[in-house]
Amino acid sequence: MEAFIRSVGAYAPPRRMSNHELAEFVDTSHEWIYSHTGISYRHIAEPDQAASDLAVPAAHRALEAAGMTADELDLVLVATSTPDYIGLPSTACVVQHAIGATSAGAMDVMAVCSGFVYALETARAFVKAGSARHVLVVGTEVYSKIMDWTDRNTCVLFGDGAGAVIVSPQTEEGAKSAVVDSILRSDGSGAESLFRPCGGTRCAYIPGQTPDSELALQMNGRKVYIFAVRAVVDTINEMLKRNNLTFSDIRYFVPHQANRRIIEAAAKRLEIPSEQFYLNMDEYANTSAASIPLALDEMNAKGVLKRGDAVITIGFGAGLTYGANLIVW
Ligand code: ACO
């Protein structure tokens, strides 16, 4: 049975930080950030809010929109690289308990900024195989808590948020809608282009010895930029080619919202009008695995997305990972 996205929901913490506010304590400016990234604001979680605390309201909204209760779910997938706990337990289990998904399995999917693309394909595979009927997929991130807030190369780029979808078997109601195809790719040779050097088992945390900056996210911005443009170009070309489509068949391309310049450079190479890429990094900055479902929820709420529209999502990020989903909404 084909799988389709039955509903979508999102949640962003209310605290909204502008570039101007950021420039009060980091050596940067609104002009630099906006001109280099397209970002004006980011939402920041409260000190007591973890990734699951953002995921739960997003999940509730998706369930409500689907007209379902949590006990109907067979599987909870949480895509996050900022989990509630390091390694164990999974954030998915925390979400499963909080929403009362009493009949569901739960696991995290770790593909960083490609996490939603990977988790959506995982959900589709479970539904197609008949191993699950209704799957909750959430992308949720609290990057504000893994930032070195003195490092202007990284802290200006990220924000917090969550987005969720319910994936179900295609029915009469969703007869045209489907997750049609996915591409999942990786290149671990770039593992250290974007990473947190210490705190795991490679460089374990030693109290009083491990510098704070080694526990925070570090990035080779230039290297990631070059990889990201190529990843967007290659996945879109492959997805269109293998489904016998041209860009004019696609209502919207919904990329991971890392940086407007990455998307504009890719659009130019692909010769696709940049207006066909839905962008909202201006408001949320880079929310990693949450950015695509946050955008889908916004598009759905604004009526930009209608049932039957073809959409291609494109993820790229640490790992390095990249990929895409072709969705008929
Ligand atoms: N404010 C002011 N100046 C800054 C800032 C800042 N926030 N950051 C860097 N600069 C300065 C640099 O110090 C440098 O100054 P210098 O010339 O005097 O040395 C100058 O600006 C240019 O720096 P570059 O790093 O060359 O700037 P660039 O144009 O490459 O833009 C950026 C940097 C935006 C990070 C870009 O490389 C990029 O977008 N990379 C991809 C990043 C990304 O999207 N990462 C997330 C991937 S998703 C995931 O998996 C988490």
Side-chain angles (χ1 to χ4, degrees), residues 41-57:
Y41 299 93
R42 70 281 298 137
H43 290 241
I44 304 288
E46 293 301 320
D48 63 350
Q49 274 183 315
S52 67
D53 297 315
L54 310 193
V56 167

Side-chain angles (χ1 to χ4, degrees), residues 8 26 41 49 81 89 112 121 136 178 188 208 297 299 326:
V8 59
V26 179
Y41 299 93
Q49 274 183 315
S81 47
V112 199
E121 173 57 13
L136 169 69
D297 180 71
M299 295 166 81
L326 170 61

Side-chain angles (χ1 to χ4, degrees), residues 27-29 32-33 36-37 112-113 143 152-153 156-158 194 217 219 221-222 224-225 256 258-259 261-262 286 288 316-318:
D27 179 19
T28 189
S29 63
W32 193 96
I33 301 171
H36 284 74
T37 68
V112 199
C113 298
Y143 266 64
R152 70 178 184 177
N153 292 306
V156 304
L157 302 174
F158 294 91
L194 182 51
L217 178 147
M219 179 178 72
R222 239 344 31 209
V224 175
Y225 181 92
H256 167 47
N259 181 326
R261 287 201 315 180
I262 291 174
N286 178 346
S288 192
F316 52 87

Side-chain angles (χ1 to χ4, degrees), residues 227-238 265-267 269-270 314:
F227 150 75
V229 174
R230 203 192 59 235
V232 175
V233 171
D234 289 354
T235 44
I236 289 179
N237 271 334
E238 183 177 344
R269 277 195 215 169
L270 287 157
I314 310 106

Side-chain angles (χ1 to χ4, degrees), residues 174-218:
K176 278 202 298 180
S177 303
V179 181
V180 178
D181 191 14
S182 297
I183 295 170
L184 305 182
R185 294 285 149 75
S186 59
D187 176 8
S189 72
E192 296 188 356
S193 310
L194 182 51
F195 74 141
R196 293 174 75 187
C198 292
T201 53
R202 169 73 51 210
C203 166
Y205 172 69
I206 304 174
Q209 285 187 32
T210 309
D212 289 350
S213 60
E214 297 295 297
L215 297 168
L217 178 147
Q218 295 183 8

